[in-house]
Coordinates of all heavy atoms in Angstrom, one line a residue:
L47 N 98.1 103.9 192.2 CA 97.4 102.6 192.2 C 98.4 101.5 192.2 O 98.1 100.4 192.6 CB 96.5 102.6 191.0 CG 95.2 103.5 191.0 CD1 94.5 103.4 189.6 CD2 94.3 103.3 192.1
D48 N 99.5 101.8 191.7 CA 100.6 100.6 191.6 C 100.9 100.2 193.0 O 101.3 99.2 193.2 CB 101.8 101.3 190.9 CG 102.6 100.3 190.1 OD1 102.1 99.1 189.8 OD2 103.6 100.6 189.6
R49 N 101.0 101.2 193.9 CA 101.3 100.9 195.3 C 100.3 100.0 196.0 O 100.6 99.3 196.9 CB 101.4 102.2 196.2 CG 102.6 103.1 195.7 CD 102.7 104.2 196.6 NE 103.2 105.3 195.9 CZ 102.6 106.5 195.7 NH1 101.6 106.8 196.3 NH2 103.1 107.4 194.9
R50 N 99.1 99.9 195.3 CA 98.0 99.1 195.9 C 98.0 97.7 195.1 O 97.1 96.9 195.2 CB 96.7 99.8 195.8 CG 96.6 101.1 196.7 CD 95.3 101.8 196.6 NE 94.3 101.0 197.4 CZ 93.1 101.5 197.6 NH1 92.8 102.6 197.1 NH2 92.2 100.7 198.3
R51 N 98.9 97.6 194.3 CA 99.1 96.3 193.5 C 98.0 96.1 192.5 O 97.5 95.0 192.3 CB 99.4 95.1 194.4 CG 100.6 95.2 195.2 CD 100.8 94.0 196.2 NE 102.0 94.3 196.9 CZ 102.4 93.4 197.8 NH1 101.7 92.3 198.0 NH2 103.5 93.7 198.5
L52 N 97.5 97.1 191.9 CA 96.5 97.0 190.9 C 97.1 97.1 189.6 O 96.8 98.0 188.7 CB 95.4 98.1 191.2 CG 94.7 98.1 192.5 CD1 94.1 99.4 192.8 CD2 93.8 96.9 192.6
Y53 N 98.0 96.2 189.3 CA 98.9 96.2 188.1 C 98.1 96.3 186.8 O 98.5 97.1 185.9 CB 99.9 95.1 188.1 CG 100.7 95.0 189.4 CD1 100.6 94.0 190.1 CD2 101.5 96.1 189.8 CE1 101.3 93.9 191.4 CE2 102.2 96.1 190.9 CZ 102.1 95.0 191.8 OH 102.8 94.9 192.9
R54 N 97.2 95.5 186.6 CA 96.4 95.4 185.4 C 95.7 96.8 185.1 O 95.8 97.3 184.0 CB 95.4 94.3 185.4 CG 94.4 94.3 184.2 CD 95.0 93.5 183.1 NE 94.0 93.1 182.1 CZ 93.9 93.8 181.0 NH1 94.7 94.8 180.8 NH2 93.0 93.5 180.1
H55 N 95.1 97.3 186.1 CA 94.4 98.7 186.0 C 95.4 99.7 185.7 O 95.1 100.6 184.9 CB 93.7 99.0 187.4 CG 92.6 98.1 187.9 ND1 92.5 96.8 187.4 CD2 91.5 98.4 188.5 CE1 91.5 96.3 188.0 NE2 90.8 97.2 188.7
V56 N 96.5 99.7 186.4 CA 97.6 100.7 186.2 C 98.1 100.7 184.7 O 98.2 101.8 184.2 CB 98.7 100.4 187.2 CG1 100.0 101.2 186.8 CG2 98.3 100.8 188.6
E57 N 98.4 99.5 184.2 CA 98.9 99.5 182.8 C 97.8 100.0 181.9 O 98.2 100.6 180.9 CB 99.3 98.0 182.5 CG 100.6 97.7 183.1 CD 101.7 98.8 182.8 OE1 102.0 99.2 181.6 OE2 102.3 99.2 183.8
Q58 N 96.6 99.6 182.1 CA 95.5 100.1 181.1 C 95.4 101.6 181.2 O 95.3 102.3 180.1 CB 94.2 99.5 181.6 CG 93.0 99.7 180.6 CD 93.3 99.1 179.2 OE1 94.0 98.1 179.1 NE2 92.6 99.6 178.2
L59 N 95.5 102.2 182.4 CA 95.3 103.6 182.5 C 96.5 104.3 181.9 O 96.4 105.4 181.2 CB 95.3 104.0 184.0 CG 94.9 105.5 184.3 CD1 93.6 105.8 183.8 CD2 95.0 105.6 185.9
R60 N 97.8 103.9 182.2 CA 98.9 104.4 181.5 C 98.9 104.3 179.9 O 99.1 105.3 179.3 CB 100.2 103.7 182.0 CG 100.7 104.2 183.2 CD 102.0 103.6 183.5 NE 102.4 104.0 184.9 CZ 102.8 103.0 185.8 NH1 102.7 101.7 185.7 NH2 103.1 103.4 187.1
A61 N 98.5 103.2 179.5 CA 98.4 103.1 178.0 C 97.4 103.9 177.4 O 97.6 104.6 176.4 CB 98.1 101.5 177.7
A62 N 96.2 103.9 178.0 CA 95.1 104.8 177.4 C 95.5 106.3 177.5 O 95.2 107.0 176.7 CB 93.8 104.6 178.1
G63 N 96.1 106.6 178.6 CA 96.5 108.0 178.8 C 97.6 108.5 177.8 O 97.4 109.6 177.3
L64 N 98.5 107.6 177.6 CA 99.5 108.0 176.6 C 98.9 107.9 175.2 O 99.4 108.7 174.2 CB 100.7 107.0 176.7 CG 101.7 107.4 177.8 CD1 102.7 106.2 178.0 CD2 102.4 108.7 177.6
S65 N 98.0 107.1 174.9 CA 97.5 106.9 173.6 C 96.8 108.3 173.1 O 96.7 108.6 171.8 CB 96.5 105.9 173.4 OG 95.3 106.0 174.0
I66 N 96.3 109.1 174.0 CA 95.7 110.4 173.6 C 96.8 111.3 172.8 O 96.5 111.6 171.8 CB 95.1 111.1 174.8 CG1 94.1 110.3 175.5 CG2 94.6 112.4 174.4 CD1 93.8 110.7 176.9
S67 N 97.9 111.6 173.5 CA 98.9 112.4 172.9 C 99.6 111.7 171.8 O 99.9 112.3 170.7 CB 99.9 112.9 173.9 OG 100.5 111.8 174.6
N68 N 99.8 110.4 171.8 CA 100.5 109.6 170.8 C 99.7 109.6 169.5 O 100.3 109.7 168.4 CB 100.7 108.3 171.3 CG 101.9 108.1 172.2 OD1 102.7 109.1 172.5 ND2 102.0 107.1 172.9
N69 N 98.3 109.5 169.6 CA 97.5 109.4 168.4 C 97.5 110.8 167.7 O 97.5 111.0 166.5 CB 96.2 108.9 168.6 CG 96.1 107.4 168.6 OD1 96.6 106.7 167.6 ND2 95.7 106.8 169.7
I70 N 97.5 111.9 168.5 CA 97.6 113.3 167.8 C 98.9 113.4 167.1 O 98.9 113.9 166.1 CB 97.4 114.4 168.9 CG1 96.0 114.3 169.5 CG2 97.6 115.7 168.4 CD1 95.8 115.1 170.8
A71 N 100.0 112.9 167.9 CA 101.3 113.1 167.2 C 101.4 112.3 166.0 O 101.8 112.8 164.9 CB 102.4 112.6 168.2
E72 N 100.9 111.0 166.1 CA 101.0 110.2 164.9 C 100.1 110.7 163.8 O 100.5 110.8 162.5 CB 100.6 108.8 165.2 CG 100.7 107.7 164.2 CD 100.4 106.3 164.6 OE1 100.2 106.1 165.8 OE2 100.4 105.5 163.7
G73 N 98.9 111.2 164.0 CA 98.1 111.8 163.1 C 98.7 113.0 162.3 O 98.4 113.3 161.2
S74 N 99.4 113.8 163.2 CA 100.0 115.0 162.6 C 101.0 114.7 161.5 O 101.3 115.6 160.7 CB 100.5 115.8 163.7 OG 101.8 115.4 164.2
G75 N 101.5 113.6 161.5 CA 102.5 113.2 160.5 C 101.8 112.6 159.3 O 102.5 112.3 158.3
S76 N 100.5 112.6 159.2 CA 99.8 112.1 158.0 C 99.9 113.0 156.8 O 100.0 114.2 157.0 CB 98.3 111.9 158.4 OG 98.1 111.0 159.4
A77 N 100.0 112.4 155.7 CA 100.1 113.2 154.4 C 98.7 113.7 154.0 O 98.7 114.7 153.3 CB 100.7 112.4 153.4
H78 N 97.7 113.2 154.5 CA 96.3 113.5 154.1 C 95.5 113.9 155.2 O 95.5 113.3 156.3 CB 95.7 112.3 153.4 CG 96.4 111.8 152.2 ND1 96.5 112.5 151.0 CD2 97.3 110.8 152.1 CE1 97.3 111.8 150.2 NE2 97.8 110.8 150.8
K79 N 94.7 114.9 155.1 CA 93.7 115.6 156.1 C 92.8 114.4 156.7 O 92.6 114.4 157.9 CB 93.0 116.6 155.5 CG 92.0 117.2 156.4 CD 91.3 118.4 155.8 CE 90.2 118.1 154.9 NZ 89.4 119.1 154.4
Q80 N 92.2 113.6 155.9 CA 91.3 112.6 156.2 C 92.0 111.6 157.2 O 91.4 111.2 158.1 CB 90.7 111.9 155.1 CG 89.3 111.5 155.2 CD 88.3 112.6 155.8 OE1 88.4 113.7 155.6 NE2 87.5 112.0 156.7
E81 N 93.2 111.3 156.9 CA 93.9 110.4 157.8 C 94.2 111.0 159.1 O 94.0 110.3 160.2 CB 95.3 110.0 157.1 CG 95.9 108.8 157.8 CD 97.2 108.4 157.0 OE1 98.2 109.0 157.2 OE2 97.0 107.4 156.2
F82 N 94.6 112.3 159.2 CA 94.7 112.9 160.5 C 93.4 112.9 161.2 O 93.4 112.7 162.5 CB 95.2 114.3 160.2 CG 95.7 115.0 161.4 CD1 95.8 114.5 162.7 CD2 96.1 116.4 161.3 CE1 96.3 115.1 163.8 CE2 96.7 117.0 162.4 CZ 96.7 116.5 163.7
I83 N 92.3 113.2 160.6 CA 91.0 113.2 161.3 C 90.7 111.8 161.9 O 90.2 111.7 162.9 CB 89.9 113.7 160.3 CG1 90.1 115.1 160.0 CG2 88.5 113.3 160.8 CD1 89.3 115.7 158.9
Q84 N 91.0 110.7 161.2 CA 90.8 109.4 161.6 C 91.6 109.1 163.0 O 91.2 108.7 163.9 CB 91.3 108.4 160.6 CG 91.0 107.0 161.1 CD 89.6 106.6 161.0 OE1 88.7 107.5 160.7 NE2 89.2 105.4 161.4
F85 N 92.9 109.7 163.0 CA 93.7 109.6 164.2 C 93.1 110.4 165.4 O 93.0 110.1 166.6 CB 95.1 110.0 164.0 CG 96.0 108.9 163.4 CD1 96.2 108.9 162.0 CD2 96.6 108.0 164.3 CE1 97.0 107.8 161.6 CE2 97.3 106.9 163.8 CZ 97.5 106.9 162.4
L86 N 92.4 111.5 165.1 CA 91.8 112.4 166.0 C 90.5 111.7 166.6 O 90.3 111.7 167.7 CB 91.5 113.7 165.5 CG 92.7 114.6 165.1 CD1 92.2 115.9 164.4 CD2 93.5 114.9 166.4
N87 N 89.9 110.9 165.8 CA 88.7 110.0 166.2 C 89.3 109.0 167.2 O 88.6 108.7 168.2 CB 88.0 109.5 165.0 CG 87.1 110.4 164.3 OD1 86.7 111.4 164.8 ND2 87.0 110.2 162.9
I88 N 90.3 108.4 166.9 CA 90.9 107.4 167.8 C 91.3 108.1 169.1 O 91.1 107.4 170.2 CB 92.1 106.7 167.2 CG1 91.6 105.9 165.9 CG2 92.9 105.8 168.2 CD1 92.8 105.5 165.0
T89 N 91.7 109.2 169.0 CA 92.1 110.0 170.2 C 91.0 110.2 171.0 O 91.0 110.0 172.3 CB 92.8 111.3 169.9 OG1 93.9 111.1 169.1 CG2 93.2 112.2 171.1
R90 N 89.8 110.6 170.5 CA 88.6 110.9 171.3 C 88.1 109.6 171.9 O 87.7 109.6 173.0 CB 87.6 111.4 170.4 CG 87.8 112.9 170.1 CD 86.7 113.6 169.5 NE 85.5 113.6 170.4 CZ 84.3 113.0 170.2 NH1 84.1 112.3 169.1 NH2 83.4 113.1 171.1
R91 N 88.3 108.4 171.2 CA 87.9 107.2 171.9 C 88.7 106.8 173.1 O 88.2 106.4 174.0 CB 88.0 106.0 170.8 CG 86.9 106.2 169.7 CD 86.4 105.1 168.9 NE 87.6 104.5 168.2 CZ 88.0 104.5 166.9 NH1 87.2 105.3 166.2 NH2 88.9 103.9 166.4
S92 N 90.1 107.1 173.0 CA 90.9 107.0 174.2 C 90.5 107.8 175.4 O 90.6 107.5 176.4 CB 92.3 107.3 173.8 OG 92.9 106.4 172.9
L93 N 90.0 109.1 175.0 CA 89.5 109.9 176.1 C 88.3 109.3 176.7 O 88.1 109.2 178.0 CB 89.1 111.3 175.5 CG 90.3 112.2 175.4 CD1 89.7 113.4 174.4 CD2 90.8 112.8 176.6
F94 N 87.4 108.7 176.0 CA 86.2 108.1 176.5 C 86.6 106.8 177.3 O 86.0 106.6 178.4 CB 85.2 107.7 175.4 CG 84.5 108.8 174.9 CD1 85.0 109.9 174.1 CD2 83.1 108.9 175.1 CE1 84.3 110.9 173.8 CE2 82.3 109.8 174.7 CZ 82.9 111.0 174.0
E95 N 87.6 106.2 176.9 CA 88.2 105.0 177.6 C 88.7 105.4 179.0 O 88.5 104.8 180.0 CB 89.2 104.3 176.9 CG 89.8 103.0 177.6 CD 91.0 102.4 176.7 OE1 91.3 102.9 175.7 OE2 91.4 101.3 177.2
N96 N 89.4 106.5 179.1 CA 89.9 107.1 180.3 C 88.8 107.4 181.2 O 88.8 107.2 182.4 CB 91.0 108.2 180.1 CG 92.2 107.7 179.7 OD1 93.0 107.1 180.4 ND2 92.7 108.0 178.5
A97 N 87.8 108.1 180.6 CA 86.6 108.6 181.4 C 86.0 107.4 182.1 O 85.7 107.4 183.2 CB 85.7 109.4 180.6
S98 N 85.8 106.3 181.2 CA 85.2 105.1 181.9 C 85.9 104.5 182.9 O 85.4 104.0 184.0 CB 85.0 104.1 180.7 OG 84.4 102.8 181.2
M99 N 87.3 104.4 182.8 CA 88.1 103.9 183.9 C 88.1 104.8 185.1 O 88.0 104.2 186.2 CB 89.6 103.7 183.4 CG 89.8 102.6 182.5 SD 91.6 102.3 182.2 CE 91.9 103.6 180.9
L100 N 88.0 106.1 185.0 CA 87.9 107.0 186.1 C 86.7 106.6 186.9 O 86.7 106.6 188.1 CB 88.0 108.4 185.7 CG 89.4 108.9 185.1 CD1 89.1 110.4 184.6 CD2 90.4 109.0 186.3
L101 N 85.6 106.6 186.2 CA 84.2 106.3 186.8 C 84.2 105.0 187.5 O 83.7 104.9 188.6 CB 83.2 106.4 185.8 CG 82.9 107.8 185.3 CD1 82.0 107.8 184.0 CD2 82.4 108.7 186.3
A102 N 84.8 104.0 186.9 CA 85.0 102.6 187.5 C 85.9 102.7 188.8 O 85.4 102.2 189.9 CB 85.5 101.6 186.6
F103 N 87.0 103.4 188.7 CA 87.9 103.5 189.9 C 87.2 104.2 191.0 O 87.4 103.9 192.2 CB 89.2 104.1 189.5 CG 90.0 103.4 188.5 CD1 91.1 104.0 187.9 CD2 89.8 102.1 188.3 CE1 91.8 103.3 187.0 CE2 90.7 101.3 187.4 CZ 91.6 101.9 186.8
E104 N 86.4 105.2 190.7 CA 85.5 105.9 191.6 C 84.6 105.0 192.4 O 84.5 105.0 193.6 CB 84.9 107.2 191.0 CG 84.0 107.9 192.1 CD 83.3 109.1 191.3 OE1 82.9 108.9 190.2 OE2 83.1 110.1 192.0
R105 N 83.9 104.2 191.6 CA 83.0 103.3 192.2 C 83.6 102.2 193.0 O 83.1 101.7 194.0 CB 82.2 102.6 191.0 CG 81.1 103.4 190.3 CD 80.4 102.7 189.3 NE 79.4 103.6 188.6 CZ 78.5 103.1 188.0 NH1 78.2 101.9 187.7 NH2 77.6 104.0 187.3
L106 N 84.8 101.9 192.6 CA 85.6 100.9 193.5 C 86.2 101.6 194.7 O 86.8 100.9 195.6 CB 86.8 100.3 192.6 CG 86.4 99.4 191.5 CD1 87.5 99.1 190.6 CD2 85.8 98.0 192.2
G107 N 86.0 102.8 194.9 CA 86.7 103.6 196.1 C 88.2 103.8 195.9 O 88.8 104.1 196.9
L108 N 88.6 103.7 194.7 CA 90.1 103.9 194.5 C 90.5 105.3 194.3 O 91.6 105.7 194.5 CB 90.5 102.9 193.3 CG 90.4 101.5 193.4 CD1 90.6 100.8 192.2 CD2 91.2 100.9 194.6
L109 N 89.5 106.1 193.7 CA 89.7 107.5 193.5 C 88.6 108.3 194.2 O 87.5 107.8 194.3 CB 89.8 107.9 192.1 CG 90.9 107.2 191.3 CD1 90.7 107.5 189.7 CD2 92.2 107.7 191.7
E110 N 89.1 109.5 194.6 CA 88.0 110.4 195.3 C 87.2 111.1 194.1 O 87.7 111.4 193.1 CB 88.7 111.5 196.1 CG 89.5 110.9 197.3 CD 88.5 110.4 198.3 OE1 87.4 111.0 198.5 OE2 88.9 109.3 199.0
S111 N 86.0 111.4 194.4 CA 85.1 112.1 193.5 C 85.6 113.3 193.0 O 85.5 113.7 191.8 CB 83.7 112.3 194.2 OG 83.0 111.0 194.3
T112 N 86.2 114.1 193.9 CA 86.7 115.5 193.4 C 87.8 115.3 192.4 O 87.9 116.1 191.4 CB 87.2 116.3 194.6 OG1 88.1 115.5 195.4 CG2 86.1 116.6 195.6
E113 N 88.7 114.4 192.6 CA 89.8 114.1 191.6 C 89.2 113.6 190.3 O 89.5 114.1 189.1 CB 90.7 113.1 192.1 CG 91.9 112.9 191.2 CD 92.9 112.0 191.8 OE1 92.6 111.1 192.6 OE2 94.1 112.1 191.4
V114 N 88.2 112.8 190.3 CA 87.6 112.2 189.1 C 86.8 113.3 188.4 O 86.9 113.4 187.2 CB 86.5 111.1 189.6 CG1 85.8 110.6 188.3 CG2 87.4 109.9 190.1
D115 N 86.1 114.2 189.2 CA 85.3 115.2 188.5 C 86.3 116.1 187.8 O 86.1 116.5 186.6 CB 84.6 116.0 189.6 CG 83.3 115.3 190.2 OD1 83.0 114.3 189.6 OD2 82.9 115.8 191.1
E116 N 87.4 116.5 188.3 CA 88.3 117.5 187.7 C 88.8 116.8 186.4 O 89.0 117.4 185.4 CB 89.5 117.7 188.6 CG 90.5 118.7 188.0 CD 91.8 118.9 188.9 OE1 91.5 118.9 190.2 OE2 92.8 119.0 188.4
L117 N 89.2 115.5 186.5 CA 89.8 114.9 185.3 C 88.7 114.6 184.2 O 89.0 114.7 183.1 CB 90.4 113.5 185.6 CG 91.8 113.6 186.4 CD1 92.1 112.4 187.1 CD2 92.8 114.0 185.4
L118 N 87.5 114.3 184.6 CA 86.4 114.3 183.6 C 86.1 115.5 182.9 O 85.9 115.6 181.7 CB 85.2 113.8 184.3 CG 85.1 112.3 184.8 CD1 84.0 111.9 185.5 CD2 85.4 111.3 183.6
W119 N 86.3 116.7 183.6 CA 86.1 118.0 183.0 C 87.3 118.2 182.0 O 87.1 118.7 180.9 CB 86.1 119.1 184.0 CG 84.7 119.2 184.7 CD1 84.3 119.0 185.9 CD2 83.5 119.7 183.9 NE1 83.0 119.2 186.1 CE2 82.4 119.6 184.9 CE3 83.2 120.1 182.7 CZ2 81.1 119.9 184.5 CZ3 81.9 120.4 182.4 CH2 80.9 120.3 183.3
D120 N 88.5 117.8 182.4 CA 89.6 117.9 181.4 C 89.5 117.1 180.2 O 89.8 117.5 179.1 CB 90.9 117.5 182.2 CG 91.4 118.5 183.3 OD1 90.9 119.6 183.3 OD2 92.3 118.0 184.1
C121 N 89.0 115.8 180.4 CA 88.7 115.0 179.2 C 87.7 115.6 178.4 O 87.7 115.5 177.1 CB 88.3 113.6 179.7 SG 89.7 112.6 180.5
D122 N 86.6 116.1 179.0 CA 85.5 116.7 178.2 C 86.0 117.8 177.4 O 85.7 118.0 176.2 CB 84.3 117.1 179.1 CG 83.1 117.6 178.4 OD1 82.5 117.0 177.6 OD2 82.9 118.9 178.5
E123 N 86.8 118.7 178.0 CA 87.3 120.0 177.4 C 88.2 119.5 176.2 O 88.2 120.0 175.1 CB 88.1 120.8 178.3 CG 88.7 122.0 177.7 CD 89.7 122.8 178.6 OE1 90.1 122.3 179.6 OE2 89.9 124.0 178.2
E124 N 89.1 118.5 176.5 CA 90.0 118.0 175.4 C 89.1 117.4 174.2 O 89.5 117.6 173.0 CB 90.9 117.0 176.0 CG 91.9 116.4 174.9 CD 93.0 117.3 174.4 OE1 92.9 118.6 174.7 OE2 93.9 116.9 173.7
S125 N 88.1 116.7 174.4 CA 87.3 116.0 173.5 C 86.7 117.1 172.6 O 86.6 117.1 171.3 CB 86.2 115.2 174.2 OG 85.2 114.7 173.1

Side-chain angles (χ1 to χ4, degrees):
L47 294 176
D48 214 7
R49 291 184 217 123
R50 297 181 75 174
R51 298 182 182 177
L52 299 165
Y53 305 120
R54 174 91 168 96
H55 296 30
V56 165
E57 282 311 308
Q58 186 69 20
L59 188 63
R60 279 188 184 122
L64 281 173
S65 72
I66 301 166
S67 57
N68 285 346
N69 278 305
I70 294 168
E72 189 173 353
S74 75
S76 300
H78 304 285
K79 176 177 77 169
Q80 216 39 47
E81 192 174 83
F82 192 3
I83 290 170
Q84 184 70 1
F85 276 97
L86 293 173
N87 287 330
I88 294 166
T89 301
R90 285 191 65 244
R91 293 198 304 255
S92 293
L93 280 165
F94 281 68
E95 180 181 5
N96 279 294
S98 177
M99 283 188 284
L100 290 170
L101 291 166
F103 294 164
E104 179 184 33
R105 287 182 180 195
L106 289 166
L108 299 172
L109 296 176
E110 296 294 322
S111 294
T112 54
E113 182 176 30
V114 171
D115 289 348
E116 181 184 325
L117 285 164
L118 289 175
W119 281 113
D120 288 345
C121 289
D122 181 65
E123 179 185 18
E124 178 72 349
S125 177

